[in-house]
Amino acid sequence: MTIGARDRGTVKLSASLPAADVAYLEHYARRHRLPSRSATLHAAVQALRERELEAQYVEAYREWEESGEAAVWDVAVADGIEPEA
């Protein structure tokens, strides 16, 4: 465990995974030069967080466009910009 990990309150846990998933984790760790299964699982959790955050941004953008604010913003952004000749 690194000092930074201690600062974040690292928790040790036990997990049961199918053998094929463990083999994949080990292969992924070697390919990406991660130091351990824990580091590999941490990377997987981070990827899940990023995927969920991306979906939240997509939803927020959709709501913004549907609210009519996007059209108002387009007018404000174009204010004072002269078209190319």
Side-chain angles (χ1 to χ4, degrees):
M1 167 176 15
T2 65
I3 293 174
R6 258 187 235 122
D7 293 344
R8 290 190 303 267
T10 300
V11 175
K12 186 172 184 169
L13 65 92
S14 174
S16 298
L17 296 171
D21 289 349
V22 174
Y24 179 79
L25 282 174
E26 290 172 348
H27 173 74
Y28 186 93
R30 282 191 306 275
R31 193 173 69 222
H32 294 278
R33 299 177 187 210
L34 297 172
S36 64
R37 288 180 182 168
S38 291
T40 308
L41 286 171
H42 181 71
V45 169
Q46 185 62 34
L48 289 170
R49 280 188 177 134
E50 289 171 3
R51 191 166 94 187
E52 189 170 87
L53 183 59
E54 180 182 358
Q56 291 170 350
Y57 275 120
V58 167
E59 177 62 17
Y61 185 79
R62 184 192 60 75
E63 289 175 6
W64 177 67
E65 280 190 315
E66 290 176 359
S67 74
E69 291 296 317
V72 174
W73 180 254
D74 288 342
V75 171
V77 169
D79 188 27
I81 298 177
E82 296 182 26
E84 288 185 31

Coordinates of all heavy atoms in Angstrom, one line a residue:
M1 N 0.9 -1.2 0.0 CA 0.0 0.0 0.0 C 0.9 1.2 0.0 O 1.9 1.3 0.7 CB -0.9 0.0 1.2 CG -1.6 1.2 1.5 SD -2.8 1.2 2.9 CE -2.5 -0.2 3.8
T2 N 0.5 2.2 -0.8 CA 1.3 3.5 -0.9 C 0.8 4.4 0.2 O -0.3 4.3 0.7 CB 1.2 4.1 -2.2 OG1 -0.1 4.5 -2.4 CG2 1.6 3.2 -3.4
I3 N 1.7 5.4 0.5 CA 1.3 6.5 1.5 C 0.0 7.2 1.0 O -0.9 7.4 1.8 CB 2.4 7.5 1.7 CG1 3.6 6.8 2.4 CG2 1.9 8.7 2.5 CD1 4.8 7.6 2.5
G4 N -0.1 7.5 -0.3 CA -1.3 8.1 -0.8 C -2.5 7.3 -0.6 O -3.6 7.8 -0.2
A5 N -2.4 6.0 -0.7 CA -3.5 5.1 -0.5 C -4.0 5.1 0.9 O -5.1 5.0 1.2 CB -3.2 3.7 -1.0
R6 N -3.0 5.1 1.8 CA -3.3 5.1 3.3 C -4.1 6.4 3.6 O -5.0 6.4 4.3 CB -2.0 5.1 4.1 CG -1.7 3.8 4.7 CD -0.6 3.9 5.6 NE 0.4 2.9 5.2 CZ 1.6 3.1 4.8 NH1 2.1 4.3 4.9 NH2 2.4 2.2 4.4
D7 N -3.7 7.5 2.9 CA -4.4 8.8 3.2 C -5.9 8.7 2.7 O -6.7 9.4 3.3 CB -3.7 9.9 2.4 CG -2.4 10.2 3.0 OD1 -2.1 9.7 4.1 OD2 -1.6 10.9 2.3
R8 N -6.2 7.9 1.8 CA -7.6 7.7 1.3 C -8.4 6.7 2.0 O -9.5 6.4 1.7 CB -7.6 7.4 -0.2 CG -7.1 8.5 -1.1 CD -7.3 8.2 -2.6 NE -6.7 7.0 -3.0 CZ -5.5 6.9 -3.5 NH1 -4.7 8.0 -3.7 NH2 -5.0 5.7 -3.9
G9 N -7.8 6.1 3.0 CA -8.5 5.1 3.8 C -8.7 3.8 3.0 O -9.8 3.3 2.9
T10 N -7.6 3.2 2.6 CA -7.7 1.9 1.9 C -8.3 0.8 2.8 O -8.0 0.8 4.0 CB -6.2 1.5 1.4 OG1 -5.7 2.5 0.6 CG2 -6.2 0.2 0.7
V11 N -9.1 0.0 2.2 CA -9.8 -1.1 2.9 C -9.4 -2.4 2.2 O -9.5 -2.5 1.0 CB -11.3 -0.9 2.9 CG1 -12.0 -2.0 3.5 CG2 -11.7 0.4 3.5
K12 N -9.0 -3.3 3.0 CA -8.7 -4.7 2.4 C -10.0 -5.4 2.3 O -10.8 -5.4 3.2 CB -7.7 -5.4 3.3 CG -7.3 -6.7 2.7 CD -6.1 -7.3 3.6 CE -5.7 -8.6 2.9 NZ -4.4 -9.1 3.5
L13 N -10.2 -6.1 1.2 CA -11.4 -6.9 1.0 C -11.1 -8.2 0.3 O -10.0 -8.4 -0.3 CB -12.5 -6.1 0.2 CG -12.2 -5.8 -1.2 CD1 -12.7 -6.8 -2.2 CD2 -12.8 -4.4 -1.5
S14 N -12.0 -9.1 0.4 CA -11.9 -10.4 -0.3 C -13.0 -10.5 -1.3 O -14.1 -10.1 -1.0 CB -12.0 -11.5 0.7 OG -12.0 -12.8 0.1
A15 N -12.6 -11.0 -2.5 CA -13.7 -11.1 -3.6 C -13.5 -12.5 -4.2 O -12.4 -13.0 -4.4 CB -13.5 -10.0 -4.6
S16 N -14.6 -13.0 -4.6 CA -14.6 -14.3 -5.4 C -14.9 -14.0 -6.8 O -16.0 -13.3 -7.1 CB -15.7 -15.2 -4.8 OG -15.4 -15.6 -3.5
L17 N -14.1 -14.4 -7.7 CA -14.2 -14.2 -9.1 C -14.1 -15.5 -9.9 O -13.3 -16.3 -9.5 CB -13.2 -13.1 -9.7 CG -13.3 -11.7 -9.1 CD1 -12.0 -11.0 -9.6 CD2 -14.5 -11.0 -9.5
P18 N -14.7 -15.6 -11.0 CA -14.5 -16.7 -11.9 C -13.0 -16.8 -12.3 O -12.3 -15.7 -12.5 CB -15.4 -16.5 -13.1 CG -16.4 -15.6 -12.6 CD -15.8 -14.7 -11.6
A19 N -12.4 -18.0 -12.5 CA -11.0 -18.1 -12.8 C -10.7 -17.3 -14.1 O -9.6 -16.8 -14.2 CB -10.7 -19.6 -13.0
A20 N -11.6 -17.3 -15.1 CA -11.3 -16.6 -16.3 C -11.1 -15.1 -16.0 O -10.3 -14.4 -16.7 CB -12.4 -16.8 -17.3
D21 N -11.9 -14.5 -15.1 CA -11.8 -13.1 -14.7 C -10.4 -12.8 -14.0 O -9.8 -11.8 -14.3 CB -12.9 -12.6 -13.8 CG -14.2 -12.6 -14.6 OD1 -14.2 -12.7 -15.8 OD2 -15.3 -12.4 -13.9
V22 N -10.0 -13.7 -13.2 CA -8.7 -13.6 -12.5 C -7.6 -13.7 -13.5 O -6.6 -12.9 -13.5 CB -8.5 -14.6 -11.4 CG1 -7.1 -14.6 -10.8 CG2 -9.6 -14.5 -10.3
A23 N -7.7 -14.6 -14.5 CA -6.7 -14.7 -15.5 C -6.6 -13.4 -16.3 O -5.5 -12.9 -16.6 CB -7.0 -15.9 -16.4
Y24 N -7.8 -12.8 -16.6 CA -7.8 -11.6 -17.4 C -7.1 -10.5 -16.5 O -6.4 -9.7 -17.1 CB -9.2 -11.2 -17.8 CG -9.2 -9.9 -18.5 CD1 -8.9 -9.9 -19.9 CD2 -9.5 -8.7 -17.9 CE1 -8.9 -8.7 -20.5 CE2 -9.5 -7.5 -18.5 CZ -9.2 -7.5 -19.9 OH -9.2 -6.3 -20.6
L25 N -7.5 -10.4 -15.3 CA -6.9 -9.4 -14.4 C -5.3 -9.5 -14.4 O -4.6 -8.5 -14.5 CB -7.4 -9.5 -13.0 CG -8.7 -8.9 -12.7 CD1 -9.1 -9.2 -11.2 CD2 -8.8 -7.4 -12.9
E26 N -4.8 -10.7 -14.3 CA -3.4 -10.9 -14.3 C -2.8 -10.5 -15.6 O -1.7 -9.9 -15.7 CB -3.1 -12.3 -13.9 CG -3.4 -12.6 -12.4 CD -3.3 -14.0 -12.0 OE1 -3.2 -14.9 -12.9 OE2 -3.3 -14.3 -10.8
H27 N -3.4 -10.9 -16.7 CA -3.0 -10.6 -18.0 C -2.9 -9.0 -18.2 O -2.0 -8.5 -18.7 CB -3.8 -11.2 -19.1 CG -3.5 -10.8 -20.5 ND1 -2.4 -11.2 -21.2 CD2 -4.2 -10.0 -21.4 CE1 -2.4 -10.7 -22.4 NE2 -3.5 -9.9 -22.5
Y28 N -4.0 -8.4 -17.8 CA -4.1 -6.9 -17.9 C -3.0 -6.2 -17.1 O -2.4 -5.3 -17.6 CB -5.5 -6.5 -17.4 CG -5.8 -5.0 -17.6 CD1 -6.4 -4.5 -18.8 CD2 -5.4 -4.0 -16.7 CE1 -6.6 -3.2 -19.0 CE2 -5.6 -2.7 -16.9 CZ -6.2 -2.3 -18.0 OH -6.4 -0.9 -18.2
A29 N -2.8 -6.7 -15.9 CA -1.8 -6.2 -15.0 C -0.4 -6.3 -15.7 O 0.4 -5.3 -15.7 CB -1.8 -6.9 -13.7
R30 N -0.1 -7.4 -16.3 CA 1.2 -7.6 -16.9 C 1.3 -6.7 -18.1 O 2.3 -6.0 -18.3 CB 1.4 -9.0 -17.4 CG 1.8 -10.0 -16.3 CD 2.2 -11.4 -16.8 NE 1.3 -12.0 -17.7 CZ 0.2 -12.7 -17.3 NH1 0.0 -12.9 -16.0 NH2 -0.6 -13.3 -18.1
R31 N 0.3 -6.6 -18.9 CA 0.3 -5.8 -20.2 C 0.4 -4.3 -19.9 O 1.1 -3.6 -20.6 CB -1.0 -6.1 -21.0 CG -0.9 -5.6 -22.4 CD -2.1 -6.0 -23.2 NE -3.3 -5.3 -22.7 CZ -4.5 -5.9 -22.5 NH1 -4.7 -7.2 -22.8 NH2 -5.5 -5.2 -22.1
H32 N -0.2 -3.9 -18.8 CA -0.1 -2.5 -18.4 C 0.9 -2.2 -17.3 O 0.9 -1.0 -16.8 CB -1.5 -2.0 -18.1 CG -2.5 -2.0 -19.2 ND1 -2.5 -1.0 -20.2 CD2 -3.4 -2.9 -19.6 CE1 -3.4 -1.3 -21.1 NE2 -4.0 -2.5 -20.8
R33 N 1.6 -3.2 -17.0 CA 2.7 -3.0 -16.0 C 2.2 -2.5 -14.6 O 2.8 -1.6 -14.0 CB 3.8 -2.2 -16.5 CG 4.5 -2.8 -17.7 CD 5.5 -1.9 -18.3 NE 5.9 -2.6 -19.6 CZ 7.1 -2.5 -20.1 NH1 8.0 -1.9 -19.5 NH2 7.3 -3.1 -21.3
L34 N 1.1 -3.0 -14.2 CA 0.5 -2.6 -12.9 C 1.1 -3.6 -11.9 O 1.4 -4.7 -12.2 CB -1.0 -2.8 -12.9 CG -1.7 -1.8 -13.9 CD1 -3.2 -2.1 -13.9 CD2 -1.5 -0.4 -13.5
P35 N 1.4 -3.0 -10.7 CA 2.2 -3.8 -9.7 C 1.4 -5.0 -9.0 O 2.1 -5.8 -8.4 CB 2.6 -2.8 -8.7 CG 1.5 -1.7 -8.8 CD 1.1 -1.7 -10.2
S36 N 0.1 -5.0 -9.1 CA -0.6 -6.0 -8.4 C -2.1 -6.2 -8.9 O -2.6 -5.3 -9.6 CB -0.7 -5.6 -6.9 OG -1.5 -4.4 -6.7
R37 N -2.7 -7.2 -8.4 CA -4.2 -7.4 -8.7 C -5.0 -6.2 -8.1 O -5.9 -5.7 -8.7 CB -4.7 -8.7 -8.1 CG -4.2 -9.9 -8.7 CD -4.8 -11.1 -8.0 NE -4.4 -12.4 -8.6 CZ -4.5 -13.5 -8.1 NH1 -5.1 -13.6 -6.9 NH2 -4.1 -14.6 -8.7
S38 N -4.5 -5.8 -6.9 CA -5.2 -4.6 -6.3 C -5.2 -3.4 -7.2 O -6.2 -2.7 -7.4 CB -4.6 -4.3 -4.9 OG -4.9 -5.4 -4.0
A39 N -4.0 -3.1 -7.7 CA -3.9 -2.0 -8.6 C -4.7 -2.1 -9.9 O -5.3 -1.2 -10.4 CB -2.4 -1.8 -9.0
T40 N -4.8 -3.4 -10.3 CA -5.6 -3.7 -11.5 C -7.1 -3.5 -11.2 O -7.9 -2.8 -12.0 CB -5.4 -5.1 -12.0 OG1 -4.0 -5.3 -12.2 CG2 -6.1 -5.3 -13.3
L41 N -7.6 -3.9 -10.1 CA -9.0 -3.7 -9.7 C -9.2 -2.3 -9.4 O -10.3 -1.8 -9.8 CB -9.3 -4.5 -8.4 CG -9.4 -6.0 -8.6 CD1 -9.5 -6.7 -7.2 CD2 -10.6 -6.4 -9.5
H42 N -8.3 -1.5 -8.9 CA -8.4 -0.1 -8.7 C -8.6 0.6 -10.0 O -9.5 1.5 -10.2 CB -7.2 0.5 -8.0 CG -7.3 1.9 -7.7 ND1 -8.2 2.5 -6.8 CD2 -6.7 3.0 -8.3 CE1 -8.1 3.8 -6.8 NE2 -7.2 4.1 -7.7
A43 N -7.9 0.2 -11.0 CA -8.0 0.8 -12.4 C -9.4 0.4 -13.0 O -10.0 1.3 -13.6 CB -6.9 0.2 -13.3
A44 N -9.9 -0.8 -12.7 CA -11.2 -1.2 -13.2 C -12.3 -0.3 -12.6 O -13.2 0.1 -13.2 CB -11.4 -2.7 -12.9
V45 N -12.2 -0.1 -11.3 CA -13.2 0.7 -10.6 C -13.1 2.2 -11.1 O -14.2 2.8 -11.4 CB -12.9 0.7 -9.1 CG1 -13.8 1.7 -8.3 CG2 -13.3 -0.7 -8.5
Q46 N -11.9 2.7 -11.4 CA -11.8 4.0 -11.9 C -12.5 4.1 -13.3 O -13.1 5.1 -13.6 CB -10.3 4.4 -12.0 CG -10.1 5.9 -12.4 CD -10.7 6.9 -11.5 OE1 -10.8 6.7 -10.3 NE2 -11.2 8.0 -12.0
A47 N -12.3 3.1 -14.1 CA -12.9 3.0 -15.4 C -14.4 3.0 -15.3 O -15.1 3.7 -16.1 CB -12.4 1.8 -16.2
L48 N -14.9 2.3 -14.4 CA -16.4 2.3 -14.2 C -16.9 3.7 -13.7 O -17.9 4.1 -14.2 CB -16.8 1.2 -13.1 CG -16.6 -0.2 -13.5 CD1 -16.8 -1.1 -12.3 CD2 -17.6 -0.6 -14.6
R49 N -16.2 4.3 -12.9 CA -16.5 5.7 -12.4 C -16.6 6.6 -13.6 O -17.5 7.4 -13.8 CB -15.5 6.2 -11.4 CG -15.8 5.7 -10.0 CD -14.8 6.5 -9.1 NE -15.1 6.0 -7.7 CZ -14.2 5.7 -6.8 NH1 -12.9 5.8 -7.2 NH2 -14.5 5.3 -5.6
E50 N -15.5 6.6 -14.5 CA -15.4 7.4 -15.6 C -16.6 7.2 -16.6 O -17.1 8.1 -17.2 CB -14.1 7.3 -16.3 CG -12.9 7.8 -15.5 CD -11.6 7.5 -16.1 OE1 -11.5 6.9 -17.1 OE2 -10.6 7.9 -15.4
R51 N -16.9 5.9 -16.8 CA -18.0 5.6 -17.7 C -19.3 6.1 -17.2 O -20.1 6.7 -17.9 CB -18.1 4.1 -17.9 CG -19.0 3.7 -19.0 CD -18.8 2.2 -19.4 NE -19.8 1.4 -18.6 CZ -19.8 0.1 -18.6 NH1 -18.9 -0.6 -19.3 NH2 -20.7 -0.5 -17.9
E52 N -19.5 6.0 -15.9 CA -20.8 6.5 -15.3 C -20.8 8.1 -15.4 O -21.8 8.6 -15.7 CB -20.9 6.1 -13.8 CG -22.2 6.4 -13.2 CD -22.4 5.7 -11.9 OE1 -22.0 6.3 -10.9 OE2 -22.9 4.6 -11.8
L53 N -19.7 8.7 -15.1 CA -19.6 10.1 -15.2 C -19.8 10.6 -16.6 O -20.5 11.6 -16.8 CB -18.2 10.6 -14.7 CG -18.0 12.1 -14.6 CD1 -19.0 12.8 -13.7 CD2 -16.6 12.5 -14.2
E54 N -19.3 9.9 -17.6 CA -19.5 10.3 -19.0 C -21.0 10.2 -19.3 O -21.6 11.1 -19.9 CB -18.8 9.3 -19.9 CG -19.0 9.6 -21.4 CD -18.3 8.6 -22.3 OE1 -17.6 7.7 -21.8 OE2 -18.4 8.8 -23.5
A55 N -21.7 9.2 -18.8 CA -23.2 9.1 -19.0 C -23.9 10.2 -18.4 O -24.9 10.7 -18.9 CB -23.7 7.7 -18.5
Q56 N -23.4 10.6 -17.2 CA -24.1 11.8 -16.5 C -23.9 13.1 -17.3 O -24.8 13.9 -17.4 CB -23.5 11.9 -15.1 CG -24.0 10.8 -14.2 CD -23.2 10.7 -12.9 OE1 -22.3 11.5 -12.6 NE2 -23.7 9.9 -12.0
Y57 N -22.7 13.3 -17.9 CA -22.5 14.4 -18.7 C -23.4 14.4 -19.9 O -23.9 15.5 -20.3 CB -21.0 14.6 -19.1 CG -20.1 15.2 -18.1 CD1 -19.0 14.5 -17.5 CD2 -20.3 16.5 -17.7 CE1 -18.2 15.1 -16.6 CE2 -19.5 17.1 -16.7 CZ -18.5 16.4 -16.2 OH -17.7 17.0 -15.3
V58 N -23.5 13.3 -20.6 CA -24.4 13.2 -21.7 C -25.8 13.5 -21.4 O -26.5 14.3 -22.1 CB -24.3 11.7 -22.4 CG1 -25.4 11.5 -23.4 CG2 -22.9 11.5 -23.0
E59 N -26.3 13.0 -20.3 CA -27.6 13.3 -19.8 C -27.8 14.8 -19.5 O -28.8 15.4 -19.8 CB -28.0 12.5 -18.6 CG -29.4 12.7 -18.0 CD -30.5 12.5 -18.9 OE1 -30.3 11.8 -20.0 OE2 -31.6 13.0 -18.7
A60 N -26.8 15.4 -18.8 CA -26.9 16.8 -18.5 C -26.9 17.7 -19.7 O -27.7 18.6 -19.8 CB -25.7 17.2 -17.6
Y61 N -26.1 17.3 -20.7 CA -26.1 18.1 -22.0 C -27.4 17.9 -22.7 O -27.9 18.9 -23.2 CB -24.9 17.6 -22.9 CG -24.8 18.4 -24.1 CD1 -24.2 19.6 -24.1 CD2 -25.3 17.9 -25.3 CE1 -24.0 20.4 -25.3 CE2 -25.2 18.7 -26.5 CZ -24.6 19.9 -26.4 OH -24.4 20.6 -27.6
R62 N -28.0 16.7 -22.7 CA -29.3 16.5 -23.3 C -30.3 17.4 -22.6 O -31.1 18.1 -23.3 CB -29.7 15.1 -23.2 CG -31.0 14.8 -24.0 CD -31.6 13.4 -23.6 NE -31.9 13.2 -22.2 CZ -32.9 13.7 -21.6 NH1 -33.8 14.5 -22.2 NH2 -33.1 13.5 -20.3
E63 N -30.3 17.4 -21.3 CA -31.3 18.2 -20.6 C -31.1 19.7 -20.9 O -32.1 20.5 -21.0 CB -31.2 18.0 -19.1 CG -31.7 16.6 -18.6 CD -31.4 16.4 -17.1 OE1 -30.9 17.3 -16.4 OE2 -31.7 15.2 -16.7
W64 N -29.9 20.1 -21.0 CA -29.5 21.5 -21.3 C -30.1 21.9 -22.6 O -30.7 23.0 -22.8 CB -28.0 21.7 -21.2 CG -27.5 23.1 -21.5 CD1 -27.8 24.3 -20.8 CD2 -26.7 23.4 -22.6 NE1 -27.1 25.3 -21.4 CE2 -26.4 24.8 -22.5 CE3 -26.1 22.7 -23.6 CZ2 -25.6 25.5 -23.4 CZ3 -25.3 23.4 -24.5 CH2 -25.1 24.8 -24.4
E65 N -29.8 21.1 -23.6 CA -30.3 21.3 -25.0 C -31.8 21.4 -25.0 O -32.4 22.3 -25.6 CB -29.8 20.3 -26.0 CG -28.4 20.5 -26.4 CD -28.1 19.5 -27.6 OE1 -28.4 18.3 -27.5 OE2 -27.5 20.0 -28.5
E66 N -32.5 20.5 -24.3 CA -34.0 20.5 -24.3 C -34.6 21.6 -23.6 O -35.7 22.0 -23.8 CB -34.5 19.1 -23.8 CG -34.2 18.0 -24.7 CD -34.6 16.6 -24.1 OE1 -35.1 16.6 -22.9 OE2 -34.4 15.6 -24.8
S67 N -33.8 22.2 -22.7 CA -34.3 23.3 -21.9 C -34.4 24.6 -22.7 O -35.1 25.6 -22.2 CB -33.5 23.6 -20.7 OG -32.2 24.2 -21.0
G68 N -33.8 24.7 -23.8 CA -33.8 25.9 -24.6 C -32.6 26.8 -24.3 O -32.3 27.8 -25.0
E69 N -31.8 26.5 -23.3 CA -30.6 27.3 -22.9 C -29.5 27.2 -24.0 O -28.8 28.1 -24.2 CB -30.1 26.8 -21.6 CG -31.0 27.2 -20.4 CD -31.2 28.7 -20.2 OE1 -30.2 29.4 -20.3 OE2 -32.3 29.1 -20.0
A70 N -29.5 26.1 -24.7 CA -28.4 25.9 -25.7 C -28.6 27.0 -26.8 O -27.6 27.6 -27.3 CB -28.5 24.5 -26.3
A71 N -29.9 27.2 -27.2 CA -30.1 28.2 -28.3 C -29.7 29.6 -27.8 O -29.1 30.4 -28.5 CB -31.6 28.2 -28.6
V72 N -30.0 29.9 -26.5 CA -29.6 31.2 -26.0 C -28.1 31.3 -25.9 O -27.5 32.4 -26.3 CB -30.2 31.4 -24.5 CG1 -29.7 32.6 -23.9 CG2 -31.7 31.4 -24.6
W73 N -27.4 30.3 -25.5 CA -26.0 30.3 -25.5 C -25.4 30.5 -26.9 O -24.4 31.2 -27.1 CB -25.5 29.0 -24.9 CG -24.0 28.9 -24.8 CD1 -23.2 28.1 -25.5 CD2 -23.1 29.6 -23.9 NE1 -21.8 28.3 -25.2 CE2 -21.8 29.2 -24.2 CE3 -23.3 30.6 -22.9 CZ2 -20.7 29.7 -23.5 CZ3 -22.3 31.1 -22.2 CH2 -21.0 30.7 -22.5
D74 N -25.9 29.8 -27.9 CA -25.4 30.0 -29.3 C -25.5 31.4 -29.7 O -24.5 31.9 -30.4 CB -26.2 29.1 -30.2 CG -26.0 27.6 -30.1 OD1 -24.9 27.3 -29.5 OD2 -26.8 26.8 -30.5
V75 N -26.5 32.1 -29.4 CA -26.6 33.6 -29.7 C -25.5 34.3 -29.0 O -24.9 35.2 -29.6 CB -28.0 34.1 -29.4 CG1 -28.1 35.6 -29.5 CG2 -29.1 33.4 -30.2
A76 N -25.3 34.1 -27.7 CA -24.3 34.8 -26.9 C -22.9 34.5 -27.4 O -22.1 35.4 -27.5 CB -24.5 34.5 -25.5
V77 N -22.7 33.3 -27.8 CA -21.3 32.9 -28.2 C -21.0 33.6 -29.5 O -19.9 34.1 -29.8 CB -21.2 31.4 -28.3 CG1 -19.9 31.0 -29.1 CG2 -21.2 30.8 -27.0
A78 N -22.0 33.7 -30.4 CA -21.7 34.3 -31.7 C -21.7 35.8 -31.7 O -21.3 36.5 -32.7 CB -22.8 33.8 -32.7
D79 N -22.1 36.5 -30.6 CA -22.2 37.9 -30.5 C -20.8 38.5 -30.8 O -19.8 38.2 -30.1 CB -22.7 38.3 -29.1 CG -23.0 39.8 -29.0 OD1 -23.3 40.4 -30.0 OD2 -22.9 40.3 -27.9
G80 N -20.7 39.4 -31.8 CA -19.5 40.1 -32.1 C -18.6 39.4 -33.0 O -17.5 39.9 -33.3
I81 N -18.9 38.2 -33.4 CA -18.0 37.4 -34.3 C -18.5 37.7 -35.7 O -19.6 37.5 -36.1 CB -18.1 35.9 -34.0 CG1 -17.6 35.7 -32.6 CG2 -17.3 35.2 -35.0 CD1 -17.7 34.2 -32.2
E82 N -17.5 38.2 -36.5 CA -17.8 38.5 -37.9 C -17.6 37.2 -38.7 O -16.7 36.5 -38.5 CB -17.0 39.6 -38.4 CG -17.2 40.9 -37.7 CD -16.4 42.0 -38.2 OE1 -16.0 42.0 -39.4 OE2 -16.1 42.9 -37.5
P83 N -18.5 37.0 -39.7 CA -18.4 35.8 -40.6 C -17.1 35.9 -41.4 O -16.7 37.0 -41.8 CB -19.6 35.8 -41.4 CG -20.3 37.1 -41.2 CD -19.7 37.7 -40.0
E84 N -16.6 34.8 -41.8 CA -15.4 34.8 -42.7 C -15.8 35.3 -44.1 O -16.9 35.0 -44.5 CB -14.8 33.3 -42.8 CG -14.1 32.9 -41.5 CD -13.5 31.5 -41.7 OE1 -13.1 31.2 -42.9 OE2 -13.4 30.8 -40.8
A85 N -14.9 35.9 -44.7 CA -15.1 36.5 -46.0 C -14.8 35.4 -47.1 O -14.2 34.5 -47.0 CB -14.3 37.7 -46.3

